[in-house]
Amino acid sequence: MRVQSSATASTPIAVGTPPGAAPVSHRAGTLQAALGVVAFSLTFPATAWGLEGFGPWALVAVRSVLAAALAGGCLLFLRVRLPERRHWAGLAVVAAGVVLGFPLLTTLALETSTTAHAAVVVGLLPLTTAAFSALRTGVRPSRTFWAAALAGAAAVLAFTVAQSGGALTAADGYLFAALLVCAAGYTEGGRLARVMPGWQVIGWALVCCLPLTVPAAVVALSYEPVVWNAHGVAGVLWVAVGSQFLGLVVWYRGMAAVGVPRASQLQLAQPLLTLVWSVLLLGEHLTAAAPLTAAAVLVCIAVTQRSRS
């Protein structure tokens, strides 16, 4: 079975199209990846809301179970066949990095860290994802691509560290560990999304975690009392439905269309979006450096999107 991976100047075709699926143009793929970034940008503020009603372990377990129930229902309704045996190792990496590792580590970090400080992780994630992709797939982006990626990551890192006062916290260990496991999960998920629909990639990853997340939810809820309030419920629902499932559906499909390295650079805008949501939803304050950083990030994104791999 062939996977189309080239494009002509007159009709842009997806870098990789799942068998039986309609090709996705580079423009549509970029739009889908960007929608994923918008969904992810709400994750930290929503997690902060969720922690107002749930303990950290209960929050992570419940969000995974809810997302798996939604994904599993879609898989059953559409009678999707089980993935081929050769894909399960990759799905396990997605599950460990995106379904379990990143949510747990960032939630633990957000118990003592602000959303602005946690955004440091997202600022470094595009560069880390591109590096993982280069190691995993053998693709070598151009020097221009790497220069723009490094510049964008440096700009975002400087901005987010300044927002947190420049002080390192005990949560940094969680944040940097989350960075590594999420980059691995994104890379493997983007690779799998070239041979199966993106929603099935995250759907099967969520479902295969159920033997762990269901018992974990039961135990965590018994030890961490739940305080029922609007923020807590809204936060859990968003991270489960928006961040954990729908956001990853469009994100993986976008990565399959434009390639993992280029799609990952769209996340350079994610910390700034997160800070905007933090102001609107959590009452945090931005400095005058925000417009300058936003302009620098947009320039870097433009360069990475135009550079040839």
Side-chain angles (χ1 to χ4, degrees):
M1 188 175 295
R2 297 176 59 192
V3 178
Q4 192 167 0
S5 59
S6 61
T8 63
S10 57
T11 307
I13 302 296
V15 173
T17 303
V24 179
S25 70
H26 278 70
R27 180 174 296 178
T30 300
L31 176 60
Q32 291 183 68
L35 289 175
V37 170
V38 173
F40 300 153
S41 70
L42 280 160
T43 300
F44 287 168
T47 299
W49 270 12
L51 287 171
E52 294 181 20
F54 293 80
W57 294 89
L59 175 60
V60 173
V62 169
R63 70 179 275 184
S64 296
V65 171
L66 291 176
L70 175 60
C74 293
L75 292 169
L76 285 174
F77 180 77
L78 297 174
R79 298 180 180 180
V80 177
R81 293 183 178 180
L82 288 171
E84 298 178 25
R85 182 179 299 179
R86 62 193 176 96
H87 296 321
W88 280 106
L91 289 170
V93 174
V94 176
V98 178
V99 177
L100 299 176
F102 187 79
L104 176 60
L105 291 166
T106 54
T107 299
L108 292 174
L110 284 171
E111 282 197 291
T112 56
S113 173
T114 65
T115 57
H117 188 79
V120 171
V121 173
V122 180
L124 296 177
L125 188 55
L127 181 59
T128 310
T129 303
F132 266 83
S133 176
L135 293 172
R136 179 67 177 86
T137 65
V139 174
R140 296 295 182 266
S142 66
R143 292 181 179 178
T144 301
F145 178 97
W146 284 114
L150 285 169
V156 172
L157 179 59
F159 177 70
T160 50
V161 169
Q163 284 289 297
S164 65
L168 297 179
T169 68
D172 287 329
Y174 290 133
L175 295 174
F176 285 112
L179 171 70
L180 295 177
V181 298
C182 189
Y186 277 177
T187 298
E188 201 63 25
R191 185 186 66 83
L192 288 172
R194 299 179 66 178
V195 295
M196 68 175 72
W199 76 271
Q200 292 183 24
V201 174
I202 186 57
W204 287 117
L206 285 163
V207 169
C208 76
C209 287
L210 280 174
L212 294 175
T213 55
V214 170
V218 173
V219 173
L221 288 172
S222 65
Y223 281 93
E224 296 178 342
V226 176
V227 178
W228 295 103
N229 56 62
H231 278 184
V233 173
V236 169
L237 289 177
W238 177 258
V239 294
V241 178
S243 303
Q244 193 85 66
F245 184 62
L246 297 180
L248 285 167
V249 168
V250 292
W251 173 245
Y252 281 141
R253 186 158 174 80
M255 282 200 295
V258 301
V260 174
R262 290 186 182 181
S264 68
Q265 300 315 302
L266 292 172
Q267 283 195 305
L268 288 169
Q270 186 173 325
L272 301 179
L273 289 172
T274 298
L275 291 170
V276 171
W277 297 125
S278 297
V279 170
L280 297 177
L281 301 177
L282 303 177
E284 296 185 6
H285 300 282
L286 296 180
T287 67
L292 295 177
T293 306
V297 167
L298 290 176
V299 170
C300 293
I301 292 175
V303 173
T304 57
Q305 294 301 300
R306 292 178 180 275
S307 65
R308 293 180 179 271
S309 296

